[in-house]
Amino acid sequence: MIPVALQPEPAIFDERVRKRGQHWLREQGWPLEAPPVDASQLPAYWCETQKELWTAYSGICAYLCIYFEWPLGAQSTDHFVAKSSHAGQAYEWNNFRLSCLGANRNKNRFDDVLDPFEIAAETFTLNFDSGEIRVNSSLPEDVRLTADLTIRRLKLDAPECNRMRAEHYEFYVHGDVSANYLQRKSPFVWQEMVRQGLIP
């Protein structure tokens, strides 16, 4: 995971998502600032701009920090503040994180993971041989603890994730991909290679 900059709200978002969502909540008598009576009943208006979310964030999962193609159907809209805890945030662009389905399911409604919009650079480091993600040991203890929980909660250190990152590194080392390609498709691996002096 690396810092992600909030991207501008699409022009269609207010009409297609926010206004419709807020109107529905008002009709139910559910306060915007409170947990919904039943989050499963919330209309999924956020799906109306899922393609725009994917485009805005260049197809990069905010948690796994890898590119995924739109036709794969692996994209999802993660509500960083869970829909079940704040009804109005279900329809706010700045609460959306582009996420692969697996990472979104792992995060679920938990609120104890670091926010890609707020984390500092170099919060996580990478072992290229194993692909293992680690917490930067120079961080304050409270941040290290939350970062470690983030790894475990999102399963960022799952064997398949470690293998994927190690493979991306090997692709570059063996000349199969360029540094520019790696930056676009696997930006965490690219950033760590730059930090560790492996890419000029």
Side-chain angles (χ1 to χ4, degrees):
M1 188 188 297
I2 61 175
V4 175
L6 173 64
Q7 296 302 301
E9 182 179 300
I12 63 173
F13 185 83
D14 192 49
E15 291 294 331
R16 290 193 183 180
V17 182
R18 180 182 294 113
K19 287 182 177 178
R20 292 171 69 193
Q22 291 180 353
H23 176 73
W24 187 89
L25 290 170
R26 284 193 294 268
E27 284 191 326
Q28 311 311 307
W30 296 2
L32 297 180
E33 299 79 14
V37 174
D38 181 356
S40 67
Q41 294 185 27
L42 293 171
Y45 296 135
W46 52 85
C47 291
E48 295 280 336
T49 55
Q50 195 155 266
K51 181 67 177 291
E52 285 74 15
L53 185 70
W54 179 85
T55 300
Y57 291 99
S58 302
I60 301 294
C61 174
Y63 301 116
L64 294 182
C65 206
I66 58 164
Y67 173 83
F68 55 91
E69 298 283 356
W70 175 261
L72 294 178
Q75 69 285 338
S76 64
T77 299
D78 172 58
H79 295 78
F80 190 76
V81 176
K83 302 185 295 292
S84 58
S85 63
H86 195 297
Q89 284 296 310
Y91 305 108
E92 290 297 335
W93 175 259
N94 62 7
N95 191 40
F96 295 175
R97 308 291 181 269
L98 178 65
S99 177
C100 298
L101 286 172
N104 196 353
R105 289 169 180 158
N106 292 336
K107 178 177 171 292
N108 204 321
R109 65 183 65 184
F110 296 106
D111 60 0
D112 51 7
V113 303
L114 293 174
D115 185 355
F117 284 4
E118 297 182 357
I119 64 170
E122 301 176 9
T123 295
F124 299 99
T125 64
L126 182 61
N127 180 305
F128 293 116
D129 291 333
S130 65
E132 181 183 2
I133 184 173
R134 298 171 177 171
V135 177
N136 191 326
S137 60
S138 67
L139 295 172
E141 182 179 6
D142 61 330
V143 180
R144 291 202 310 273
L145 291 173
T146 306
D148 183 66
L149 177 57
T150 298
I151 291 175
R152 289 183 283 114
R153 177 75 70 203
L154 300 178
K155 300 182 180 178
L156 301 179
D157 59 349
E160 56 270 23
C161 291
N162 294 342
R163 177 186 54 78
M164 174 185 65
R165 289 186 290 262
E167 283 185 350
H168 292 177
Y169 167 71
E170 290 293 329
F171 290 157
Y172 174 79
V173 169
H174 294 301
D176 297 323
V177 300
S178 67
N180 287 337
Y181 183 91
L182 193 66
Q183 182 180 12
R184 294 194 306 271
K185 305 298 185 180
S186 191
F188 174 51
V189 173
W190 174 85
Q191 179 176 284
E192 273 297 281
M193 292 186 71
V194 171
R195 184 184 69 83
Q196 298 185 35
L198 300 175
I199 293 179

